[in-house]
Amino acid sequence: MANAASGMAVDDECKLKFLELKAKRNYRFIIFKIESQQVVVEKLGSPEETYEEFAASLPADECRYAVFDYDFITNENCQKSKIFFIAWSPDTSRVRSKMVYASSRDRFKRELDGIQVELQATDPSEMSFDIIKSRAL
């Protein structure tokens, strides 16, 4: 399960919860963290939760990975959804943490089949709702 490049394992629950978000739409978002050399689920957001609640769930000074399911209506009046992968790496987090998250990101992202848009954010302004909206179209 661990990868020689990053040494990071991915807990099976990460993939299972992501599949539930993608196929069954059970969650609005999932926040993942690296703990004891593996990526684990930290928080599941219910379908009723908003983007603001999602953003508030990310710690101000620790790195995280997150997936957000964004529903929107196109200019042609079609209901659509895009799954965002967000690499949250705040400037105030520890350098070692930033390095571990950065080196493990691509491998972890490959485990989650169905990501449509990727964002990297070092502060809340880099993942504002306006940016999410503009990247979805």
Side-chain angles (χ1 to χ4, degrees), residues 10-39:
V10 177
D11 187 58
D12 286 341
E13 186 189 17
C14 296
K15 292 178 262 191
L16 291 171
K17 296 301 180 193
F18 177 76
L19 285 172
E20 288 178 27
L21 175 143
K22 185 173 87 168
K24 299 181 187 162
R25 322 247 359 221
N26 289 359
Y27 311 109
R28 173 67 52 209
F29 63 84
I30 307 171
I31 296 176
F32 306 95
K33 71 177 180 176
I34 294 176
E35 190 175 80
S36 308
Q37 292 293 301
Q38 75 168 351
V39 182

Side-chain angles (χ1 to χ4, degrees), residues 54-66:
F54 159 67
S57 298
L58 293 169
D61 56 358
E62 290 179 39
C63 299
R64 292 292 185 270
Y65 300 127

Side-chain angles (χ1 to χ4, degrees), residues 69-88:
D69 186 9
Y70 174 55
D71 292 324
F72 62 100
I73 295 175
T74 65
N75 294 338
E76 296 80 37
N77 214 21
C78 294
Q79 179 74 37
K80 288 229 172 151
S81 160
K82 287 263 171 95
I83 298 175
F84 280 75
F85 178 86
I86 299 168
W88 172 244

